[in-house]
Amino acid sequence: MIKTNLRQLLRDRNMNQAELSKITQIRPSTISDLCNNVSERIKFSHLESICKALKCNISDVLKLF
């Protein structure tokens, strides 16, 4: 199973979902779904935007369990 570590990354950077949404231009509901691990898919462009905004690697966002 693949899950996101997005909630923890945001916490570590003292950022909230609304701020990430504004920076990345990704809908708040999409960010929320990713944080809550209810998404069944993610666009590569969204993943790229999130990584750039959080200055992290893809492996920091996605985890295989």
Side-chain angles (χ1 to χ4, degrees), residues 1-4 6 26-43 46 50 62:
M1 177 183 293
I2 297 174
K3 292 188 175 190
T4 68
L6 191 53
I26 299 171
R27 292 181 314 141
S29 61
T30 302
I31 298 291
S32 177
D33 287 351
L34 289 169
C35 283
N36 293 313
N37 285 298
V38 295
S39 295
E40 293 186 7
R41 63 183 71 64
I42 183 171
K43 290 183 177 181
H46 288 178
I50 290 168
L62 300 177

Side-chain angles (χ1 to χ4, degrees), residues 49-64:
S49 295
I50 290 168
C51 288
K52 285 181 179 179
L54 298 178
K55 297 181 177 130
C56 66
N57 293 314
I58 293 170
S59 61
D60 297 324
V61 178
L62 300 177
K63 300 290 180 187
L64 180 62

Side-chain angles (χ1 to χ4, degrees), residues 18-30:
E19 291 170 324
L20 182 61
S21 175
K22 188 173 183 179
I23 292 168
T24 60
Q25 298 296 304
I26 299 171
R27 292 181 314 141
S29 61
T30 302

Side-chain angles (χ1 to χ4, degrees), residues 1-17:
M1 177 183 293
I2 297 174
K3 292 188 175 190
T4 68
N5 194 35
L6 191 53
R7 184 179 303 277
Q8 185 61 48
L9 289 171
L10 289 174
R11 237 184 253 132
D12 293 346
R13 287 158 176 79
N14 295 315
M15 185 183 291
N16 62 40
Q17 292 179 28

